[in-house]
Amino acid sequence: MSVYETFKKSFWGPTIAWKRLFTKPVTIRVPKVYREAAPRYRGFHVNDWELCSGCSTCSKVCPTDAIKMVPVDITVEPGKKAQRPAIDYGRCTFCAMCVDICTTGSLNMTREYIHISDDPNTFFFLPDETGIHHNNPPLGYQRDENSDLLDLERVEMEELPGEDRVDSFIEFVKGYSREQAIVEASRCVDCELCIDVCPANMDIPRYIESVYRDNTTEGVDWIYKTNPLPGVCGRVCTHKCETVCSIGHRGEPVAIRWLKRYIIDQESTEDIIRHAKEEIVKKSTGKVAIIGAGPSGLAAAYYLALMGYSITIFESKALPGGVMRYGIPRYRLPDEALDKDIEVIKALGVEIKCNTTVGKDITLDELKEKYDAVFLGTGFTTGRSTRVPGTDHKNVLMALPLLEKIRDYLRDPENAEKPPIPASLIVIGGGNVAMDVARSVARLQKMEGKKINVKVTSLESMEEMPADLEEIVEGKEEGIMFFPSRGPKEVVIKDGKIVGLKTVACTRVFDEEGRFNPQFDESDVTIIEGEMIVEAIGQAPDYSYLPEELSEKLEFVRGRLLVNEKGQTSIPWLFAGGDIVHGPDIIHGVADGHKAAIGIDEFLRNKEG
Amino acid sequence: MSKEVKLFLGPNHPGMHGNSSVHLYVEGDTVVKSRLVPGFLHRGFEKLMERRTWMQNLALIPRICVPEPDINEMVYAMAIETLTGIEVPEKAHWIRMIILELARIAAHLMAMGGIGGATGLYTMPYWVMPDRDRILDIFEKITGARIYHMYIIPGGVRKDLPQGIEKDILEVLDYIESRSDEYENLLLKHRVIRTRTKGLGVLTREEALEMGVTGVGLRATGLPYDIRKVDPYARYDKVEFEVPTATEGDGYARFTLKYLELQQSIRIIRQCIDMMPKEGPVNVRFSRGSALRFRVPAGSVYAHVESSRGEYGYFVVSDGGEKPYRIHVRGASYPQGLYGVENKLPGTRIEDVALWLGTMDFCSPEIDR
């Protein structure tokens, strides 16, 4: 049938509309008649300033550059920036991608859609919770799991399960494969919140981007700009960067530490040395002595060597590395990773004199005579004791000497002294060192064929423990028993042997002002059974190498040396950094070493001038 | 012998179908030569797409075709899904079909209103635009926006349907069906309309094929070419519908087919609501990572769908990066809009030019992309 026949011509056709001649037209008089928008409506934006971190991810995803980050006058805390998104409604397409990608969930869209104004400036709007007209509009479009534009789940790191890893000191974290690293790197939104909180101000987004682009060579260059110990930090850094990672607000933060490790593990030592040598910026003259081959000393040596100075490090131990070599267990930080970092530093001409104790083999005064500047990076080398009755027993040990003994033994079982391996151990302390002792002894017990019997007791509750969460979780997986919120009272000794530790309940560790001020419930007494006790409640510096006349000139605050922002002490030629300035933290040591290198360079150039 | 006069139709003219201009050279009241002058709407979509990430393009592509923006989202998503090899969840297929067919109805209604307007029958646009608005209400409820929905995304759809929306959709379909008699009487049975459109802009099958005309332009020559039938996507192979054809190849045949297709779209949506799974995912992520770093594997693909104006396709080339390497848009009204204006418009009387453009489905953004 012809389509002409489908609808036959109608005589009344033209008049069909007349029947509606008197029908009231549908007219909406905007804005006098308000039409309620649908619950999902993508109207004007609102932003919760308390929640917003100023990460600028909304601005980056905006297809039309309608979002600009505007500086605002607010108090900034770590992980936040003093800027908030402003929307240009002359450009906005109301696509809601900013809502779908918002890392904190602070940015939302409302059902408000009418804005009439003669002033074009009112269309550029810094949204807050009250909306464009400050009338607290109802929310419209909401992000859900389907529309979320972030990947909230971290690429799982392959590691040996607890029962398999506890009978050896082999590094149990396997590291990312190429594919895994690229996927993990693709989660980064380049917000740069991590840079501010990293003590070394590492340009984290840039090296993560290099992983994403499968160019680890470039990643090495970015890392070495601020950190010459990436093999170490890629494994055992306290990763403050991950704490503030914007993805962490709603999901798991980007595995920044593992990505750093991935970059360094991909590149050979020779290649890294070649990159490092390309970075040599100038040829300066002068000699600098560094005391201690720990994180701060090695970092200072690296950057001073790049500037062309002649560097000698004096290290009392047989091998360089300090706490990295002798404190951190091998299953977390194998010697090979540390050696790789140190090889690069040595390749720049840095001389490391091991088995040389300043104050004994050579005095500080002699160093002052022979060198133009001296950097102190001696770290925290002595342990603190609880001093409860019985701690003078020979089976009450300090954490650091025991860890050193274990590492020496594992390095050379034939010649080194075997560490004590008790049938049952009590560790006092809730920090990372306590975890290191507990997990190391548990391994030794297992390797000896004994049953794992290690107990950790701490003043802090499980939630308050200063140790990294992963250390606690992994410790539990390995069979460590925890006795939190208990204060040591007395070492229980029978017939000259330790049989346990008497503890009382700790009801509070910190007072209202956040100061360390533990309170105990003396009626709640428990004896934790064990035949050996290790105290791991903190470490302290040893300044015995400082001559008295120098000590008097130096300023100390709570046992730490006071230095300026360039690491310079009150004695101009003496610089310091690391634990003795900032407390035990490798990345702080690296940052201090870098800053001190800049300070020493300035000092020596001014001296020459 | 009459003098040849040059007239400018558009870009700002009520008879012009979008922001393009046609230069008409007329002798008396008959067009003897015509030239399309694009560029008034030029937004460089294809080049802009190469400078935006895969996800950012979702806000750009619907703007290529304002009356029916969802087809852009669909072909873009289909192209990426082919390159990534991802399987779209079952429910998402059905939701996509509902969205596409609703958009098709809205576009057909708008086109019918345009034909009414071009003939001076302004009652038709006054009627169809509020009726079309009811469909936009549905879009607002589902997607959060009335025109640029940004709802169909690679991997599925952006959100699940809101609770109870099926009832609202069926109510709107019932309403539009209830208006059928009035549409027919006012437009299809209208003596003036019939007189003015019969024999207008006759396109033979050979000419249509040679120019690359698809959609009602080709189907009005008797060839039932419809992508939904010849290369089914989503779940079009699971629903029953007909592809109306005609043999006359003129203006009246073309907009009659539009009206008949509108009925078929209503039929398809009813089946979709019946057959759509009640539960299940509506989206699969095609790539891990943040939207800023989505990547599409290297390769090239041509994805095409049936739009209200014919075959609408994207040729997408990816070099494996975060942005498309090249995207070429095959606008459905490109052949008749460009070649047709220059080759077939001559011979038309001035008062029929706007009607010719309307029945030919001339859509400026598709040409001027």
Side-chain angles (χ1 to χ4, degrees):
Chain A
M1 186 176 72
S2 165
V3 74
Y4 287 178
E5 304 302 316
T6 311
F7 304 101
K8 291 192 175 161
K9 201 183 289 184
S10 163
F11 178 79
W12 299 107
T15 63
I16 190 70
W18 294 358
K19 71 176 183 184
R20 294 188 182 270
L21 195 61
F22 299 102
T23 308
K24 194 181 172 191
V26 179
T27 307
I28 298 174
R29 297 191 185 279
V30 176
K32 288 180 181 168
V33 177
Y34 185 74
R35 176 188 167 276
E36 180 78 15
R40 284 186 184 178
Y41 197 80
R42 302 200 298 258
F44 299 125
H45 298 71
V46 285
N47 188 24
D48 182 345
W49 280 32
E50 289 297 313
L51 212 55
C52 180
S53 64
C55 71
S56 76
T57 310
C58 50
S59 166
K60 290 192 190 85
V61 84
C62 180
T64 56
D65 289 337
I67 303 180
K68 287 186 173 53
M69 300 308 291
V70 174
V72 289
D73 186 20
I74 53 169
T75 312
V76 187
E77 51 193 84
K80 291 196 172 186
K81 287 185 179 176
Q83 58 180 26
R84 293 293 178 264
I87 319 275
D88 181 353
Y89 286 117
R91 303 181 71 94
C92 180
T93 58
F94 298 88
C95 65
M97 282 199 191
C98 50
V99 175
D100 283 348
I101 206 168
C102 179
T103 56
T104 60
S106 67
L107 195 65
N108 277 295
M109 294 181 110
T110 64
R111 285 188 240 171
E112 196 176 30
Y113 60 96
I114 297 171
H115 179 70
I116 299 170
S117 172
D118 293 335
D119 180 3
N121 291 321
T122 61
F123 290 85
F124 185 77
F125 171 63
L126 191 66
D128 58 22
E129 279 183 281
T130 57
I132 194 166
H133 300 122
H134 308 293
N135 56 358
N136 298 298
L139 286 183
Y141 182 90
Q142 305 275 299
R143 179 195 56 246
D144 63 20
E145 67 275 13
N146 289 310
S147 65
D148 203 323
L149 295 179
L150 289 180
D151 186 354
L152 300 174
E153 286 177 25
R154 179 182 281 205
V155 176
E156 205 173 326
M157 171 59 74
E158 192 185 340
E159 54 183 60
L160 288 173
E163 61 274 18
D164 291 346
R165 65 180 182 241
V166 78
D167 57 2
S168 84
F169 279 80
I170 294 171
E171 188 177 24
F172 61 87
V173 176
K174 296 299 176 195
Y176 280 140
S177 67
R178 176 175 165 270
E179 290 73 23
Q180 287 175 315
I182 291 172
V183 172
E184 183 61 20
S186 73
R187 298 176 61 225
C188 176
V189 291
D190 197 12
C191 65
E192 300 185 348
L193 292 174
C194 44
I195 299 179
D196 296 337
V197 84
C198 173
N201 297 128
M202 296 190 73
D203 201 339
I204 294 160
R206 296 290 79 71
Y207 71 73
I208 289 182
E209 193 180 357
S210 74
V211 174
Y212 173 65
R213 301 195 186 288
D214 200 15
N215 188 349
T216 48
T217 307
E218 191 185 291
V220 169
D221 290 340
W222 281 112
I223 288 174
Y224 267 84
K225 284 186 195 302
T226 44
N227 188 346
L229 295 172
V232 173
C233 291
R235 287 170 167 81
V236 294
C237 182
T238 43
H239 55 74
K240 299 177 196 311
C241 47
E242 293 181 22
T243 316
V244 299
C245 177
S246 58
I247 309 287
H249 285 282
R250 295 196 287 114
E252 295 175 293
V254 175
I256 299 170
R257 184 170 62 170
W258 299 140
L259 289 174
K260 181 156 57 223
R261 171 184 163 172
Y262 168 78
I263 293 172
I264 294 306
D265 286 356
Q266 300 312 300
E267 299 285 309
S268 69
T269 310
E270 294 71 33
D271 284 341
I272 298 173
I273 290 171
R274 201 177 62 246
H275 291 306
K277 285 186 173 172
E278 284 169 4
E279 292 290 312
I280 292 175
V281 285
K282 63 179 178 182
K283 197 69 190 168
S284 306
T285 55
K287 294 196 298 181
V288 180
I290 292 171
I291 306 175
S296 63
L298 289 168
Y302 175 82
Y303 291 108
L304 286 166
L306 284 186
M307 296 171 195
Y309 292 102
S310 172
I311 311 295
T312 308
I313 302 178
F314 297 90
E315 169 59 49
S316 60
K317 304 280 187 202
L319 294 166
V323 70
M324 303 178 290
R325 178 83 67 182
Y326 292 98
I328 301 171
R330 209 165 78 173
Y331 58 84
R332 287 179 63 203
L333 178 61
D335 278 3
E336 299 75 35
L338 177 59
D339 287 338
K340 190 171 177 176
D341 288 351
I342 294 176
E343 277 305 306
V344 177
I345 296 166
K346 280 162 76 175
L348 298 183
V350 173
E351 185 188 1
I352 304 177
K353 287 188 175 177
C354 291
N355 294 315
T356 308
T357 307
V358 174
K360 199 168 80 179
D361 300 315
I362 187 167
T363 66
L364 200 55
D365 287 335
E366 285 176 274
L367 291 181
K368 191 207 166 193
E369 291 302 314
K370 290 180 182 171
Y371 295 89
D372 300 307
V374 177
F375 175 80
L376 306 178
T378 49
F380 281 1
T381 51
T382 57
R384 294 182 196 274
S385 172
T386 57
R387 300 183 187 211
V388 297
T391 46
D392 54 351
H393 192 279
K394 67 178 175 58
N395 274 353
V396 178
L397 307 177
M398 285 292 160
L400 285 182
L402 177 63
L403 288 170
E404 184 177 336
K405 202 172 270 187
I406 293 170
R407 285 213 71 163
D408 276 339
Y409 172 69
L410 294 167
R411 206 172 282 126
D412 186 7
E414 301 294 321
N415 301 309
E417 186 191 341
K418 190 174 181 181
I421 307 171
S424 56
L425 172 75
I426 303 163
V427 182
I428 305 173
N432 281 338
V433 174
M435 300 303 142
D436 289 344
V437 171
R439 297 175 67 186
S440 294
V441 172
R443 279 166 168 74
L444 289 171
Q445 286 175 335
K446 194 76 191 277
M447 286 161 72
E448 286 281 303
K450 294 177 182 172
K451 193 179 166 208
I452 292 174
N453 189 339
V454 178
K455 295 154 185 166
V456 173
T457 180
S458 62
L459 289 177
E460 299 91 355
S461 64
M462 289 303 281
E463 294 74 34
E464 292 172 320
M465 270 193 197
D468 291 343
L469 181 63
E470 64 210 34
E471 289 272 344
I472 297 167
V473 172
E474 288 166 4
K476 280 182 183 171
E477 287 170 3
E478 290 163 10
I480 313 288
M481 290 174 276
F482 286 85
F483 295 84
S485 298
R486 303 215 67 81
K489 193 74 177 167
E490 179 190 346
V491 178
V492 185
I493 302 169
K494 272 189 187 166
D495 303 329
K497 288 184 179 174
I498 295 173
V499 293
L501 178 72
K502 183 190 278 186
T503 62
V504 293
C506 179
T507 53
R508 189 186 76 178
V509 183
F510 302 98
D511 62 18
E512 285 78 11
E513 290 166 12
R515 286 179 303 201
F516 183 72
N517 184 17
Q519 301 285 311
F520 300 100
D521 177 5
E522 300 290 342
S523 63
D524 183 353
V525 178
T526 304
I527 292 176
I528 302 169
E529 291 179 4
E531 63 176 46
M532 196 172 95
I533 294 171
V534 174
E535 293 181 288
I537 59 162
Q539 293 77 46
D542 177 7
Y543 295 123
S544 59
Y545 59 89
L546 287 174
E548 199 171 318
E549 66 275 18
L550 274 185
S551 287
E552 285 170 3
K553 289 180 190 170
L554 291 170
E555 291 177 62
F556 294 89
V557 179
R558 291 182 186 174
R560 293 179 193 165
L561 265 171
L562 191 68
V563 297
N564 66 14
E565 72 279 3
K566 298 281 172 61
Q568 193 172 32
T569 65
S570 47
I571 299 167
W573 56 271
L574 197 59
F575 290 75
D579 296 359
I580 57 173
V581 171
H582 277 117
D585 184 0
I586 290 173
I587 191 66
H588 260 116
V590 170
D592 286 354
H594 193 174
K595 284 172 197 158
I598 296 166
I600 291 169
D601 180 48
E602 266 181 32
F603 167 69
L604 294 181
R605 279 193 283 117
N606 291 338
K607 203 170 146 187
E608 283 166 12
Chain B
M1 188 176 170
S2 57
K3 187 183 174 189
E4 186 178 296
V5 177
K6 185 178 178 183
L7 297 177
F8 298 160
L9 180 66
N12 300 314
H13 188 279
M16 191 61 210
H17 291 250
N19 308 56
S20 285
S21 175
V22 179
H23 289 186
L24 301 170
Y25 299 84
V26 295
E27 276 183 11
D29 56 4
T30 305
V31 177
V32 291
K33 193 169 77 173
S34 60
R35 287 280 176 273
L36 181 71
V37 186
F40 293 97
L41 194 68
H42 183 66
R43 289 174 284 188
F45 286 109
E46 291 173 345
K47 283 294 152 198
L48 286 173
M49 280 191 244
E50 294 168 18
R51 289 164 182 254
R52 282 165 167 72
T53 64
W54 291 100
M55 291 306 288
Q56 284 176 329
N57 278 330
L58 291 176
L60 182 69
I61 51 177
R63 287 163 168 79
I64 298 178
C65 176
V66 186
E68 197 184 8
D70 308 83
I71 49 165
N72 288 275
E73 299 172 12
M74 185 67 182
V75 281
Y76 184 71
M78 281 167 62
I80 292 173
E81 284 152 10
T82 308
L83 287 171
T84 52
I86 199 156
E87 285 288 323
V88 176
E90 184 63 18
K91 190 174 183 185
H93 281 304
W94 295 97
I95 296 176
R96 283 177 169 190
M97 284 167 64
I98 291 172
I99 295 291
L100 289 173
E101 293 305 318
L102 282 172
R104 191 179 177 83
I105 295 170
H108 278 333
L109 285 175
M110 199 173 178
M112 286 160 57
I115 291 161
T119 51
L121 181 65
Y122 286 104
T123 305
M124 195 63 197
Y126 292 153
W127 279 8
V128 294
M129 294 310 269
D131 291 351
R132 174 178 171 271
D133 229 42
R134 293 181 183 238
I135 296 174
L136 303 193
D137 287 344
I138 298 292
F139 280 133
E140 184 183 323
K141 286 176 185 169
I142 296 175
T143 69
R146 301 177 71 79
I147 304 292
Y148 298 124
H149 309 135
M150 286 163 256
Y151 182 67
I152 298 173
I153 59 168
V157 294
R158 208 162 164 188
K159 278 173 175 285
D160 203 349
L161 292 175
Q163 204 77 28
I165 194 69
E166 293 89 343
K167 184 171 162 284
D168 295 347
I169 296 172
L170 291 172
E171 275 177 13
V172 169
L173 297 183
D174 289 345
Y175 171 76
I176 291 172
E177 278 186 327
S178 74
R179 298 278 277 157
S180 294
D181 285 347
E182 289 178 315
Y183 293 160
E184 287 169 16
N185 277 318
L186 190 64
L187 195 68
L188 299 160
K189 295 179 181 175
H190 199 298
R191 283 185 295 164
V192 176
I193 302 279
R194 290 169 76 96
T195 309
R196 287 196 59 188
T197 55
K198 278 184 184 176
L200 174 76
V202 176
L203 202 63
T204 65
R205 186 184 295 184
E206 290 69 30
E207 286 170 334
L209 291 172
E210 193 181 335
M211 285 163 58
V213 173
T214 51
V216 289
L218 184 60
R219 288 195 287 273
T221 68
L223 199 65
Y225 181 79
D226 187 315
I227 308 294
R228 295 174 297 178
K229 285 283 188 194
V230 298
D231 185 13
Y233 47 96
R235 290 290 176 262
Y236 278 107
D237 53 345
K238 298 272 187 347
V239 292
E240 289 177 6
F241 66 101
E242 287 158 23
V243 179
T245 57
T247 51
E248 290 79 2
D250 60 4
Y252 183 79
R254 287 194 286 270
F255 82 72
T256 305
L257 290 186
K258 272 186 181 292
Y259 177 76
L260 294 174
E261 285 180 8
L262 188 148
Q263 310 296 337
Q264 294 300 319
S265 290
I266 292 172
R267 187 178 166 196
I268 292 171
I269 296 171
R270 289 189 193 284
Q271 291 177 67
C272 287
I273 290 171
D274 285 344
M275 296 165 80
M276 179 176 66
K278 297 290 170 256
E279 301 293 329
V282 295
N283 188 348
V284 173
R285 294 191 77 147
F286 68 91
S287 165
R288 283 197 65 174
S290 78
L292 301 169
R293 290 183 171 170
F294 276 145
R295 274 175 170 164
V296 171
S300 62
V301 64
Y302 175 70
H304 61 164
V305 296
E306 185 67 29
S307 79
S308 63
R309 291 171 310 286
E311 179 175 346
Y312 198 91
Y314 273 27
F315 178 65
V316 177
V317 183
S318 169
D319 61 358
E322 302 110 82
K323 297 170 182 173
Y325 177 76
R326 180 80 179 94
I327 292 184
H328 174 73
V329 180
R330 193 241 185 246
S333 57
Y334 191 92
Q336 57 267 45
L338 196 63
Y339 310 129
V341 163
E342 305 220 347
N343 298 332
K344 300 298 295 177
L345 198 53
T348 309
R349 289 160 64 91
I350 295 175
E351 70 270 24
D352 287 336
V353 170
L355 200 53
W356 186 96
L357 293 170
T359 63
M360 276 290 185
D361 270 339
F362 180 92
C363 180
S364 287
E366 279 184 15
I367 299 159
D368 212 0
R369 58 184 184 272

